[in-house]
Every structure is written in C-alpha cells, then in structure tokens.
Amino acid sequence: MTDDIAAGSPVSDLSSPADAYVGDPSVRAEWDSRYIDRAQLWSGRPNGALVAEIAGLTPGRVLDVGCGEGADTVWLARRGWEVTALEVSGVALERAAGHARDAGLTVRWVHAELTGAALPPASFDLVSAQYPALLRTPDAAAERALLAAVAPGGVLLLVHHAGMDTQEAHEGGFDPADYVWPSMVADLLDDDWEVEVDERRPRVAPEGGAGAHHTDDMVLRVRRLR
C-alpha cells in the first residue's frame, strides 16, 4: 500500500478540506444545494449495513465513498480504521470534518468525484459505498474505480436502496438509468473476486434523515483474492 494519496489529488487533513475540488462543477453544485437547504441532511448515525458487514473485519485502510456529513467516517475512525473520506459536496465535507475534529479524529479528506480522485490503486482494505450517487458512463468508469481501489485480500461493500434501479424516470429529473447499481459492479467481477454477499434484505435504517423511507437494501460484498 502507498502511504499517501497520489500527487495532485484534492486531499487534506486540515480544517478546510473543501478548498480544492476535482470533478464536474455542476455535480458539486447540485449536491451543495441539497445540503445548504438543511442544517443536517442525514441522521448522523452510521448505516446499518456497514455496521453489520464489517463486524468481523480487522481495521485497516478504508475508503468511504460519498461520505456525506461523516457519520460512517467518524464511526469507522473511532474503531481504529485509517479513513480516507471522499465527497463531491464541499458543504457536506466541511460538516464531516467538523464532526471528526469534535471527536478528536484524523481523517484524510478527498474533495472529488470518484473517477477523478486519482486514488492509489489496490490500496484499501475496505471500500465502503453506502447508497452512492455514482453516474453511469459507457466505459463503466465508476464501477471500475470502486474495484480498482480494493487491495488484494480487501473487501468492497456496496449498498443501495432496493428497487430503485427498476423505477421509471421521475419528472423531477431522477432517472435510474443514469446511475450505477450493485448489479453493474457484480457484472464486472472475474476470477480475481469472490462474492461473499449479494442479496436483498430489510434495511436497518437510522431514525430520521433523508432516505429513511426506504425499507430494503441491496447488499453486495465482494473480496479481492489477488
């Protein structure tokens, strides 16, 4: 594993992690607007599938993809994980950094879209993507970036709301065809990977926060063998 994120990545352990950004400005603006509208968008508690699925893992290096306001990041860091937290929204990243500082924790912050983050390949013992809004591209860039970040022996845990991938496009602009779903990542797996969990299950949801109305999860947990 490399000790540092590749040169040129928007990384910071400082009080203002959102000073630099790599990615589509319109994506950042969209997510910033969602966070600005509310003092707290999410529940502030770790996602239930994450808590359940990493119970038996030895803490190491973890990439928290789409860290939001930092509930998973803080929970992981408190349990001994060395956390790199990636987020497109500068508003969310500042909130997450504040929670980490209040808890006395050190986190490496990356203000970028996943596909532009220049993360060191095969470097994370755990890549956690909890309900990520990853845009789909013809070359499957986001799916490949998730897999590429996992170290040999490491785990990718991808969790999403069940049934969203089959919904019709909404008048509000949401079209499931625009986004990456667990089945798309599973389709890219070869003999270098072992599927440990691929199932639909009732969601263990924190109370409150956006998304609390979703009742079931799709959970994909795969281990990189080499």
Side-chain angles (χ1 to χ4, degrees):
M1 296 182 187
T2 57
D3 291 331
D4 298 304
I5 299 296
S9 294
V11 178
S12 176
D13 296 312
L14 305 178
S15 59
S16 297
D19 289 341
Y21 172 67
V22 174
D24 184 340
S26 67
V27 174
R28 174 185 178 175
E30 176 187 351
W31 282 96
D32 278 347
S33 68
R34 297 188 188 192
Y35 284 100
I36 288 171
D37 286 344
R38 296 175 65 174
Q40 180 175 317
L41 183 59
W42 309 113
S43 71
R45 290 177 288 278
N47 284 297
L50 173 67
V51 173
E53 290 299 324
I54 74 160
L57 299 183
T58 300
R61 296 191 69 185
V62 56
L63 174 65
D64 185 5
V65 178
C67 70
E69 292 160 325
D72 287 353
T73 292
V74 168
W75 186 83
L76 287 161
R78 280 176 168 159
R79 281 151 185 79
W81 289 86
E82 182 183 342
V83 186
T84 296
L86 180 146
E87 174 59 46
V88 299
S89 169
V91 176
L93 209 57
E94 291 286 3
R95 293 179 186 175
H99 295 317
R101 285 195 304 272
D102 290 346
L105 301 168
T106 298
V107 173
R108 179 175 286 113
W109 305 103
V110 182
H111 190 200
E113 290 185 276
L114 175 63
T115 53
L119 298 165
S123 294
F124 295 96
D125 304 296
L126 172 64
V127 174
S128 173
Q130 305 292 309
Y131 316 100
L134 298 173
L135 292 173
R136 187 179 183 185
T137 58
D139 60 353
E143 298 96 306
R144 296 185 190 281
L146 287 173
L147 294 170
V150 183
V155 166
L156 167 63
L157 176 62
L158 175 57
V159 180
H160 232 305
H161 301 301
M164 286 187 67
D165 54 331
T166 59
Q167 292 180 5
E168 298 294 328
H170 296 178
E171 290 183 1
F174 173 75
D175 186 348
D178 292 337
Y179 294 92
V180 171
W181 305 102
S183 61
M184 299 174 185
V185 176
D187 286 344
L188 295 178
L189 300 177
D190 57 23
D191 291 342
D192 289 343
W193 296 87
E194 178 184 6
V195 178
E196 296 182 333
V197 177
D198 184 6
E199 66 183 25
R200 178 172 180 152
R201 68 171 70 149
R203 183 182 180 209
V204 181
E207 294 181 3
H213 59 286
H214 293 283
T215 59
D216 287 349
D217 282 334
M218 288 302 304
V219 179
L220 178 66
R221 170 177 158 157
V222 297
R223 186 177 297 274
R224 186 171 186 173
L225 302 178
R226 51 188 172 271

